[in-house]
Amino acid sequence: MTTWHLTTVTSVVDITPTARTLRLALPEAIHALPGQHVDIRLTAEDGYSTARAYSLSDVRETRSVEVTVERLHDGEVSPYLVDVVEPGDPLEISDPHGFWFTWPSGDDRPVQLIGGGSGIAPLMSMIRSREVEAPQTPFSLVYSVRSPDRVYYRDEFRQLIDHRRMDVHLIHTRVGPENATRPPGRLTADELAGLTLDPATSPTVFICGPNRFVENCAQWMVDAGHDRTRIRTERFGE
Amino acid sequence: MAIVNRGFVGRRDRDARRLPPGQYTTLDFPVLSSEPTPSVAPEGWMLAVQSADHRAATFTWEQFQDMPHDDITTDIHCVTRWSKFDTRWRGVSFDTLLQALPWEPAPYVMAHCHGGYTANVPLADLVGGRGWIADTYDGEPLAAEHGGPARLLVPHLYFWKSAKWVRRLRFMTEDAPGFWEERGYHMYGDPWREQRYS
């Protein structure tokens, strides 16, 4: 049986034109690992109910969690979560799931994160947990995004970069920022190899994003000499 | 705890007879995989089958292709809540496979896959035209990202049981957890009873 927890939406923040971060307060504590997801269930007045899985983007607290939801063009749940839900609304979530695409908090081995689009959400959970639990663990991020206005958690990334907390490489695929030295375009195998940690340091590699992006990046990392058993993937879409 | 999400209406296109509880339909074929996709050439593929008392039988790709194949049209249900109707497969049924074995099977099967993934399924759920080793999807050789050259197909259970890139079937006298079953997922996984998590 799926256990459902009643949460209350405590804040909603539009972070891109198509995505919104929701913070949910829980009456009882849950302990989630960075990288895990929950199902969010919606119920209509007549009892109709449906649920979808969303990665947690912050698990540092036990009495509240955060998700960032991208509005899907033809979605049934995401448009409600992005456009309708308001602070004070109730929302049901499942227990956290997924015990594979998770970063063991406190682990001191190097970590290479590769995110495409909304695939940054579970990686952000790892980054945030690292800041409080293992700030010396080497972390490096390659984040592929369509255009500057689609970057999630922009201010936090700016701070991480400014304070030299970790390597953050933003790859713009369609539209680049002003003053960009790299023309917009898709990530390539050579470029990825040049931006990621040396395979000799045996990093754990987490790749999350649209399936084609993940498929390509995973293969390129294997080709670059990374041990395939140290590469973990999470994919969405066809 | 029955709550109502104010203003939520939802789509009503679900077919309650075909759609298990908690599922929604998709026209895509999402890929779920925990690791990089293994690259396994059919010529190098071999299926090893292992009895509970450690006797082994093997089938090369060529031998496997020579076995009688079934065409299967079926709905599939992923634990991540998507269901896909009328998917078209071709493969060798477990009934056919068992006939080719020189020894008696045991009541549980562990599928071992390239990359290290495992999934456990009771033998009773694989026989009687309910389980296959599939090598074709929608008229084409099964794509690597969907488990090619060959994967398990057990459509009446959640799709994580339909293990991709299968290379060894190990018969067991007692049930044992596979990859996801060791990580919080249900030992059996019946979509109609929503057996998602343990």
Side-chain angles (χ1 to χ4, degrees):
Chain A
M1 278 300 291
T2 303
T3 306
W4 295 100
H5 303 271
L6 182 60
T7 74
T8 304
V9 177
T10 52
S11 72
V12 300
V13 181
D14 294 325
I15 63 167
T16 78
T18 57
R20 175 187 262 188
T21 291
L22 305 176
R23 185 154 281 278
L24 313 173
L26 294 122
E28 74 274 28
I30 64 167
H31 296 270
L33 303 170
Q36 286 194 303
H37 61 269
V38 294
D39 293 345
I40 298 182
R41 179 167 74 172
L42 298 180
T43 304
E45 264 179 44
D46 64 357
Y48 171 81
S49 183
T50 195
R52 297 290 188 278
Y54 293 99
S55 291
L56 296 169
S57 47
D58 189 355
V59 299
R60 289 172 296 184
E61 310 280 337
T62 57
R63 297 290 291 270
S64 78
V65 293
E66 183 189 287
V67 292
T68 301
V69 179
E70 182 82 25
R71 185 198 302 112
L72 299 181
H73 162 63
D74 192 30
E76 181 179 20
V77 171
S78 63
Y80 181 86
L81 295 177
V82 176
D83 299 329
V84 181
V85 115
E86 293 175 3
D89 284 350
L91 208 53
E92 285 180 301
I93 68 168
S94 71
D95 278 330
H97 295 298
F99 294 95
W100 177 248
F101 195 82
T102 53
W103 177 62
S105 299
D107 192 359
D108 59 3
R109 285 176 297 184
V111 172
Q112 179 65 56
L113 306 173
I114 303 172
S118 59
I120 192 65
L123 307 182
M124 195 60 188
S125 178
M126 298 178 190
I127 292 167
R128 287 166 165 167
S129 291
R130 174 247 193 186
E131 286 298 294
V132 295
E133 293 186 43
Q136 300 311 316
T137 296
F139 260 48
S140 172
L141 170 69
V142 174
Y143 177 14
S144 169
V145 70
R146 207 159 80 177
S147 52
D149 67 337
R150 299 301 173 100
V151 176
Y152 284 16
Y153 322 117
R154 193 181 295 111
D155 295 344
E156 266 175 280
F157 281 123
R158 176 53 50 206
Q159 287 193 11
L160 288 165
I161 294 166
D162 287 350
H163 291 94
R164 300 188 183 170
R165 293 292 312 129
M166 55 183 282
D167 286 335
V168 177
H169 300 287
L170 275 177
I171 301 296
H172 295 89
T173 58
R174 303 258 184 91
V175 179
E178 287 177 37
N179 313 321
T181 49
R182 177 191 184 274
R186 291 194 179 198
L187 195 61
T188 65
D190 287 345
E191 192 177 18
L192 186 66
L195 296 176
T196 46
L197 297 172
D198 188 332
T201 64
S202 299
T204 309
V205 181
F206 294 95
I207 311 176
C208 184
N211 178 53
R212 187 52 46 198
F213 173 83
V214 173
E215 188 72 19
N216 287 339
C217 290
Q219 191 55 53
W220 293 338
M221 292 299 273
V222 172
D223 294 344
H226 290 269
D227 179 352
R228 64 165 54 238
T229 65
R230 301 198 62 79
I231 302 174
R232 299 188 173 198
T233 64
E234 186 146 288
R235 308 150 190 247
F236 50 80
E238 188 165 13
Chain B
M1 117 184 44
I3 67 153
V4 168
N5 295 102
R6 175 191 52 80
F8 176 66
V9 181
R11 279 203 220 106
R12 302 305 166 93
D13 55 358
R14 62 182 54 200
D15 181 340
R17 286 167 303 120
R18 287 182 76 176
L19 198 59
Q23 297 292 112
Y24 64 93
T25 51
T26 180
L27 298 177
D28 293 343
F29 194 167
V31 172
L32 281 99
S33 185
S34 53
E35 292 177 21
T37 299
S39 171
V40 186
E43 306 76 50
W45 182 88
M46 184 178 278
L47 182 67
V49 188
Q50 200 178 338
S51 75
D53 59 357
H54 310 295
R55 284 179 286 172
T58 55
F59 302 89
T60 64
W61 180 253
E62 201 171 28
Q63 289 168 331
F64 181 75
Q65 292 304 312
D66 285 344
M67 296 171 86
H69 279 56
D70 297 343
D71 288 304
I72 309 115
T73 298
T74 186
D75 300 347
I76 56 177
H77 312 289
C78 179
V79 70
T80 65
R81 297 181 178 275
W82 56 263
S83 290
K84 186 171 174 62
F85 289 166
D86 296 323
T87 59
R88 292 172 53 238
W89 307 81
R90 189 167 162 75
V92 174
S93 75
F94 270 78
D95 303 304
T96 300
L97 190 70
L98 293 188
Q99 286 172 13
L101 294 179
W103 31 261
E104 289 300 307
Y108 297 95
V109 176
M110 185 72 81
H112 293 257
C113 304
H114 288 272
Y117 183 84
T118 54
N120 59 310
V121 186
L123 179 63
D125 287 86
L126 297 170
V127 297
R130 296 206 297 167
W132 294 266
I133 309 279
D135 57 17
T136 305
Y137 176 73
D138 212 14
E140 301 285 339
L142 186 60
E145 63 184 22
H146 288 302
R151 72 181 296 166
L152 237 55
L153 177 65
V154 197
H156 69 283
L157 299 178
Y158 281 126
F159 217 49
W160 89 79
K161 295 287 187 179
S162 294
K164 297 175 178 178
W165 312 298
V166 65
R167 64 185 181 91
R168 182 160 64 99
L169 299 171
R170 182 165 59 89
F171 284 89
M172 308 181 291
T173 51
E174 289 176 18
D175 203 4
F179 180 91
W180 283 120
E181 295 78 10
E182 281 182 343
R183 290 169 175 80
Y185 286 75
H186 197 276
M187 281 293 274
Y188 183 64
D190 181 348
W192 295 94
R193 290 188 279 167
E194 281 212 84
Q195 293 175 336
R196 299 175 191 276
Y197 311 112
S198 56

